[in-house]
Amino acid sequence: MSDHQDAGVRLEPALGRPRSADATEAVLAAALALAYEGGVHHATAARISERSGVAKTTIYRRWPNAAAVVMDAFLDEITPLIRYRRRADVRATFIAAIKELARALRGPRGDLLRHLLGVAQTDLELQKAFWDQWISPRRVQAKEVIAEAKTLGQLRADLDEDVLIDTLFGAVYYRLMIPYAEVSGPYIEALVDQVLAGASGPRI
Amino acid sequence: MSDHQDAGVRLEPALGRPRSADATEAVLAAALALAYEGGVHHATAARISERSGVAKTTIYRRWPNAAAVVMDAFLDEITPLIRYRRRADVRATFIAAIKELARALRGPRGDLLRHLLGVAQTDLELQKAFWDQWISPRRVQAKEVIAEAKTLGQLRADLDEDVLIDTLFGAVYYRLMIPYAEVSGPYIEALVDQVLAGASGPRI
Amino acid sequence: MSDHQDAGVRLEPALGRPRSADATEAVLAAALALAYEGGVHHATAARISERSGVAKTTIYRRWPNAAAVVMDAFLDEITPLIRYRRRADVRATFIAAIKELARALRGPRGDLLRHLLGVAQTDLELQKAFWDQWISPRRVQAKEVIAEAKTLGQLRADLDEDVLIDTLFGAVYYRLMIPYAEVSGPYIEALVDQVLAGASGPRI
Amino acid sequence: MSDHQDAGVRLEPALGRPRSADATEAVLAAALALAYEGGVHHATAARISERSGVAKTTIYRRWPNAAAVVMDAFLDEITPLIRYRRRADVRATFIAAIKELARALRGPRGDLLRHLLGVAQTDLELQKAFWDQWISPRRVQAKEVIAEAKTLGQLRADLDEDVLIDTLFGAVYYRLMIPYAEVSGPYIEALVDQVLAGASGPRI
DNA sequence: TTTTAATCGAGACGGTACGTCGCGTCTTGTT
DNA sequence: AACAAGACGCGACGTACCGTCTCGATTAAAA
C-alpha cells in the first residue's frame, strides 16, 4: 500500500477515527480488477465505489482521482515481481532483470502500465508518483549493479550510468508504448549484448 | 495535412457541395493553438469548433475525435522540422538527427508530443496514426542510414538495426515521458558515443 | 408552459435544432408527479431525468435547478383553476375567488405550494418567478375587481387597494404556511365580512 | 435558550460528564453569525462546528439539525425585541406592536426569518418550533389585547379574534415573504386603520 | 433552369463521468 | 457520560465533453 496522503510516517497519536484498512484494500482490489477488465478509463470513481462497497467520498478523501487509485493498486501488485537479483556477471544480471520485467508486463499488465504511463503524461501528480514509486527505485538498484560491475572490470570505468540505463530500459519502454514488435527473450539478449559490445564497426 | 477520412483516393466525381479546404485549415490551426494553450485536453471538439468557426458536425465528418485533429495538426507542423541529413559519418548523422529532434521538441512542443503519445495509449486509432505518420517513416530513414554505414564499415555488419534504433530513440523518448533530466546536447553525444562504442570493460 | 429561458417572444427564425416540446412536457409531468409523491425535495434533477426519459443535461439547459422545474409544472397546473369570476357584488366575488383558491390548494397541492414558497425564500430566481407568474397577475385581477366596486359604491373610494389585497390574501397564505387552522368555507366568509365591515366597536 | 433535547425535565442525577454550557453558547453564536453572513444554508453543521470549536457530534447531541440551531439562536436574539406594550387604545397598541416587529425585521434579520420560515415548510420539527416559540406566544398576547379592547368597547364584541390577527399579521408576513413592497410606517398605520374601519362603502 | 445531393452553421439531445458539498452516524482517544 | 477529532456511507449537486441528431441555408454538378 502506498497511499497518496500519508507517504511520510505519522508520529502523532492519530486523532479521530482512524482510516479503515479494509476500505483501502477493497478500493485497491476493485480498482485493479476494473482496470484489467476494461482499461484504465473503465475504473471510474463511481464504479470503484460500487464494486468495493466504499463510498465515493472516501475514495476522494484519500486519492486525487480514480487513475491514482489504479496506479497505487498496480504498483502494489507489480513491485514484488520485479526485484533485481545478482547473476554471474552484468550481462546475465541485466538480461535476467529485463526478462523478469518483460514477463511481468506480458499480457494485460503491460497494457495497464502503458495506459497509466499515458495518463501520467497529462497528470503531474501521477507523473511524480510514477517516478517516485516505480522508476526511481529501480534506477537506484540498476546503479548499484553498474557500480559493482565497474569494480569488477565488467564495465568501462568512464561509463555514464544514466546513458546505460536509458538505452537498456528506454528500448523496453519504447517497445511497450509503440508496440511495433514484442519484447521477446531473444530480443532482450540481443539488446543487452549490443549495448555492451557497441555498434561500431571493426577498428582495424 | 493528412485527413483521416480520405486516406483512400476518391474516384467518383464527387456529388454535392464539395468540402471546404478553408474549414480544414481553420480547424487544424485552432486545434493546435488550443493544445498549446492548455494541453491536449483543452482542445475539445466544442472549443475547436468555436475558435475555428467551423461546425462541430463538420469536424466529426472528417476526424474521429478531437485528439485526432490535434495529432494531424501537430504532425503537419513538426514533420518538416526533423528530416535526416547525411553528415561525415554515422556518428555525426545520428547526433545531428537526434539534436534536431530534441531541438524541435524543446518547450511546449515536447509536452504536446508527450500528451499525444499518452492519449494514444488508450486510443487505438491514434496509436496507429502515430506509428504510420511519425515513427515508421523515421525508422525507415534511420535504416537507410544504418545500411549505408554498414557498407562503409562504420557499423558492424551483423548489427541488429531495430535494436540500434530502439536504444538510441528509446532513450530519447524515455527522457521525454519520464522527464527526470533534459535531453541536452552533451547527453546526446554521450548517448551516441556509448551506443557505438559499447559499455563493456576492456577485453584483455 | 412557462419556460425560464424564453420568457420573451423569439422573432428570429430559431437557428439550429429546435427544442423538443415532448421533452419539455415529459419533464414537467415527471417533476410534478415526483413532487406530489415525496415533496419538492424528492423531485431531484436525476429522478426527473430518469422518470421522464429526458437527459439531466437537457433539464439544466432549460431550467436553473430542479425546484424551478417543479415551480413551472405547478404553475401550469394551477393557473387555469383559479380565475376570478364576477359575482353579484364585491363580497361575493372575493368569497368565491378565495374559496376557489382554497379548494385548489386543499390537499397535496397546498403542501406543494407551501414547499415552493419555502424554497423561493432562499432562491431569488424562484422568488421572481413566483411573483411574476403567480402573485402579480392575480393582484392585477383583484385590483380590477376593487376598481369596479369603487365605481359601484361597494367599496370606499379612498380605500388602499394594496392593503385590502394584503389583508385578504395575507390571511390565507398565513394559514397556509403556519397551518394552525384550516382555511374553511365559514372562515373565508368571516374573513371577507370582517375585512369589509371593519373591526371597530360601535361609534356612538 | 430553548434546547430541543431537554424540553422535558431531567430528574436523574446526570451520570458522567455534564454538558458544557459554554459549548451551547458558542454553537448558537456561531450559527447566527454564519446565517447572517451567507443565509441559512451557509450555517451548516460542519461550519458551525469549526467556527464554534464545538464538535459536530456535540451539536447533533443537542439539536436535530443545523437549521434548528439557527432557529434557536434567532429566537433567542429576537424575542426580547418584540414585546407587546399597552398604548392609549387598540389602534395605538397594534400600530406600536407591528412597528416594533417591522423594525426588528428590517434588514438581514428579516431575511433570516424569511429563510427560516421557508425551511420550516419542509421540516415538520422546525414548523412546530416556529409555532410554539414564535407565533403562538405572540397570538396569545394579541388575544389579551383584543379581549381588553372588547371590554372597553374599542372593538366589536362579536369580532373573530383569529380573523383579526390573521389579517393584521398575515399582511405583514405576506409582504415579508413576497417582498413586492416594504412594510413602512405609513403602511402599518393604513393597515391597522383600514382593518379597524372596514373596507365597505357608505351604507346610506 | 431546375433538380439533386452533399456540405455547412447552429445548437439541441441522451449519456457518462466528474469532483464537491452537506448530511447524520460511527469510532477513536481524552476529560 | 460528554467531548474533540475526524473517518465513513450516502445522496444530490451542477458542469464538462462526448458523439449524434435535426434544422435551415449553401453550393455545385446533373438533369
Side-chain angles (χ1 to χ4, degrees):
Chain A
M1 216 268 300
S2 35
D3 231 30
H4 269 247
Q5 271 72 1
D6 35 38
V9 188
R10 179 93 44 98
L11 293 172
E12 310 90 60
L15 271 182
R17 175 174 172 176
R19 290 189 169 178
S20 155
D22 291 1
T24 310
E25 232 175 287
V27 166
L28 291 174
L32 204 56
L34 286 164
Y36 279 136
E37 281 171 25
V40 171
H41 293 328
H42 189 246
T44 66
R47 265 194 278 263
I48 295 173
S49 167
E50 199 205 352
R51 167 110 29 137
S52 66
V54 170
K56 204 164 57 126
T57 27
T58 299
I59 297 173
Y60 277 111
R61 216 172 274 124
R62 306 199 188 177
W63 291 274
N65 52 52
V69 183
V70 178
M71 171 78 95
D72 258 20
F74 173 76
L75 291 176
D76 277 10
E77 184 195 47
I78 201 156
T79 305
L81 300 180
I82 47 165
R83 307 233 162 271
Y84 274 83
R85 269 186 289 262
R86 296 297 184 282
R87 308 292 163 143
D89 52 15
V90 228
R91 181 180 174 279
T93 299
F94 270 124
I95 285 178
I98 297 176
K99 279 192 175 174
E100 204 173 334
L101 175 65
R103 197 182 320 115
L105 295 181
R106 202 107 54 202
R109 224 182 266 123
D111 286 331
L112 187 44
L113 178 60
R114 279 200 311 114
H115 292 182
L116 284 173
L117 238 177
V119 176
Q121 297 310 312
T122 46
D123 182 332
L124 263 176
E125 230 167 322
L126 224 57
Q127 176 88 267
K128 184 175 159 23
F130 216 89
W131 172 256
D132 288 343
Q133 294 169 44
W134 169 267
I135 302 295
S136 176
R138 288 183 57 75
R139 287 187 78 95
V140 169
Q141 291 181 284
K143 286 186 177 177
E144 289 169 8
V145 171
I146 294 171
E148 288 174 29
K150 278 183 176 175
T151 317
L152 298 172
Q154 292 172 5
L155 289 179
R156 291 218 315 266
D158 62 335
L159 187 83
D160 185 320
E161 302 166 318
D162 282 327
V163 168
L164 179 56
I165 300 175
D166 290 358
T167 46
L168 282 178
F169 289 91
V172 173
Y173 287 115
Y174 181 94
R175 285 207 170 195
L176 185 74
M177 306 204 65
I178 304 164
Y180 76 97
E182 227 192 328
V183 182
S184 64
Y187 173 79
I188 293 169
E189 288 170 29
L191 169 66
V192 175
D193 281 339
Q194 190 158 306
V195 165
L196 291 178
S200 290
R203 276 150 293 176
I204 314 173
Chain B
M1 212 268 300
S2 37
D3 232 27
H4 269 249
Q5 266 67 5
D6 34 42
V9 187
R10 181 87 54 88
L11 292 173
E12 309 92 58
L15 262 182
R17 177 171 171 178
R19 290 188 172 176
S20 152
D22 291 1
T24 308
E25 231 175 289
V27 166
L28 290 173
L32 203 57
L34 286 164
Y36 278 135
E37 281 171 26
V40 170
H41 293 330
H42 190 244
T44 66
R47 263 194 279 263
I48 295 173
S49 167
E50 200 206 351
R51 169 91 50 118
S52 65
V54 171
K56 222 164 41 131
T57 335
T58 303
I59 296 173
Y60 278 110
R61 206 174 285 120
R62 306 196 187 178
W63 291 275
N65 52 53
V69 182
V70 178
M71 172 77 96
D72 259 19
F74 173 76
L75 291 176
D76 277 10
E77 185 194 47
I78 200 155
T79 305
L81 299 180
I82 48 165
R83 307 230 163 272
Y84 274 84
R85 268 186 289 263
R86 297 297 184 285
R87 306 292 164 141
D89 51 17
V90 230
R91 181 182 175 278
T93 299
F94 271 123
I95 286 178
I98 297 176
K99 280 193 174 172
E100 204 172 334
L101 175 64
R103 197 182 320 118
L105 296 182
R106 203 108 54 204
R109 222 182 266 123
D111 286 329
L112 186 44
L113 177 59
R114 281 199 310 112
H115 291 182
L116 284 173
L117 238 178
V119 175
Q121 298 308 314
T122 46
D123 181 331
L124 266 177
E125 227 166 325
L126 222 58
Q127 177 87 268
K128 185 176 159 21
F130 215 88
W131 172 256
D132 288 343
Q133 295 169 44
W134 169 266
I135 302 295
S136 176
R138 287 184 57 76
R139 286 186 79 94
V140 169
Q141 291 182 287
K143 286 187 179 179
E144 289 169 8
V145 170
I146 294 171
E148 286 173 30
K150 278 183 177 176
T151 316
L152 297 172
Q154 293 173 4
L155 289 179
R156 290 219 314 271
D158 63 335
L159 185 84
D160 185 321
E161 302 166 316
D162 283 326
V163 168
L164 178 55
I165 300 175
D166 290 358
T167 46
L168 282 178
F169 289 91
V172 173
Y173 287 114
Y174 181 95
R175 286 207 170 194
L176 184 74
M177 307 203 65
I178 304 163
Y180 77 97
E182 227 192 330
V183 182
S184 65
Y187 172 77
I188 292 169
E189 288 169 27
L191 170 66
V192 175
D193 281 338
Q194 191 158 307
V195 165
L196 291 178
S200 291
R203 276 149 296 178
I204 312 170
Chain C
M1 211 268 300
S2 37
D3 231 28
H4 268 247
Q5 271 70 2
D6 34 37
V9 187
R10 179 99 38 103
L11 293 173
E12 310 91 59
L15 271 181
R17 176 173 172 176
R19 290 188 170 179
S20 155
D22 291 1
T24 310
E25 235 176 286
V27 166
L28 291 174
L32 204 56
L34 286 163
Y36 279 135
E37 282 171 25
V40 170
H41 294 327
H42 189 246
T44 66
R47 264 195 279 262
I48 295 173
S49 167
E50 199 205 353
R51 167 105 35 133
S52 66
V54 171
K56 204 167 55 133
T57 28
T58 298
I59 297 173
Y60 277 110
R61 217 172 274 123
R62 306 198 189 177
W63 291 273
N65 53 53
V69 183
V70 178
M71 172 76 96
D72 258 21
F74 174 76
L75 292 176
D76 277 9
E77 184 195 45
I78 200 153
T79 305
L81 300 179
I82 47 164
R83 308 230 162 271
Y84 275 83
R85 268 186 290 263
R86 296 296 184 284
R87 307 290 163 145
D89 51 15
V90 227
R91 180 180 176 278
T93 299
F94 271 124
I95 286 179
I98 298 177
K99 279 192 175 173
E100 204 173 333
L101 175 64
R103 196 184 319 119
L105 295 182
R106 202 107 54 202
R109 224 183 265 123
D111 286 329
L112 186 43
L113 177 60
R114 281 199 311 114
H115 292 183
L116 283 173
L117 237 178
V119 175
Q121 297 310 313
T122 45
D123 181 331
L124 263 177
E125 231 168 321
L126 224 56
Q127 176 87 270
K128 182 173 161 22
F130 216 88
W131 172 256
D132 287 345
Q133 294 169 45
W134 169 267
I135 302 296
S136 175
R138 288 183 56 76
R139 287 187 79 94
V140 169
Q141 292 181 284
K143 286 187 178 179
E144 288 168 8
V145 170
I146 294 171
E148 288 172 29
K150 279 184 177 176
T151 317
L152 298 172
Q154 294 173 3
L155 289 178
R156 289 218 316 268
D158 62 333
L159 186 85
D160 185 320
E161 302 166 318
D162 283 327
V163 169
L164 178 56
I165 300 174
D166 290 358
T167 46
L168 282 178
F169 290 92
V172 173
Y173 288 115
Y174 181 95
R175 286 206 171 196
L176 184 75
M177 306 204 66
I178 304 163
Y180 76 97
E182 225 191 331
V183 182
S184 64
Y187 172 77
I188 292 169
E189 288 170 27
L191 169 66
V192 175
D193 281 338
Q194 190 158 305
V195 164
L196 291 179
S200 291
R203 275 150 293 177
I204 312 172
Chain D
M1 212 268 299
S2 37
D3 231 29
H4 268 249
Q5 265 68 6
D6 34 41
V9 187
R10 179 87 55 91
L11 293 172
E12 308 92 60
L15 264 180
R17 176 171 172 179
R19 289 188 173 176
S20 155
D22 291 1
T24 308
E25 231 175 289
V27 166
L28 290 173
L32 204 56
L34 286 164
Y36 278 134
E37 283 171 25
V40 171
H41 291 128
H42 190 243
T44 67
R47 263 193 282 261
I48 295 173
S49 167
E50 200 206 352
R51 171 90 51 115
S52 65
V54 170
K56 224 166 33 132
T57 334
T58 303
I59 296 173
Y60 278 109
R61 206 174 288 119
R62 307 196 185 178
W63 291 274
N65 52 52
V69 183
V70 178
M71 172 78 96
D72 259 21
F74 173 76
L75 291 175
D76 276 10
E77 184 194 47
I78 200 156
T79 305
L81 299 180
I82 47 165
R83 308 231 165 269
Y84 273 84
R85 268 186 288 264
R86 297 297 185 283
R87 305 294 162 140
D89 51 16
V90 230
R91 181 181 174 277
T93 300
F94 271 124
I95 286 178
I98 297 177
K99 279 191 175 174
E100 205 172 332
L101 175 65
R103 197 183 321 117
L105 295 182
R106 202 105 55 202
R109 224 183 266 124
D111 286 330
L112 186 44
L113 177 59
R114 281 199 310 115
H115 291 185
L116 284 172
L117 239 177
V119 176
Q121 297 310 314
T122 46
D123 182 330
L124 264 177
E125 226 165 326
L126 221 58
Q127 176 88 268
K128 185 176 161 16
F130 216 87
W131 172 256
D132 288 345
Q133 294 169 45
W134 169 267
I135 301 296
S136 176
R138 287 183 57 75
R139 287 186 78 94
V140 169
Q141 291 181 283
K143 286 186 178 180
E144 289 168 9
V145 169
I146 293 170
E148 288 173 29
K150 278 184 178 176
T151 316
L152 298 172
Q154 292 173 3
L155 289 178
R156 290 218 315 269
D158 62 334
L159 186 84
D160 185 321
E161 302 166 316
D162 283 328
V163 169
L164 179 57
I165 300 175
D166 290 358
T167 46
L168 282 177
F169 289 91
V172 173
Y173 288 116
Y174 181 95
R175 285 207 171 195
L176 184 74
M177 306 202 66
I178 304 163
Y180 77 97
E182 228 193 328
V183 182
S184 65
Y187 172 77
I188 293 169
E189 288 170 28
L191 169 66
V192 174
D193 281 339
Q194 189 158 305
V195 165
L196 292 178
S200 290
R203 274 150 296 175
I204 314 175

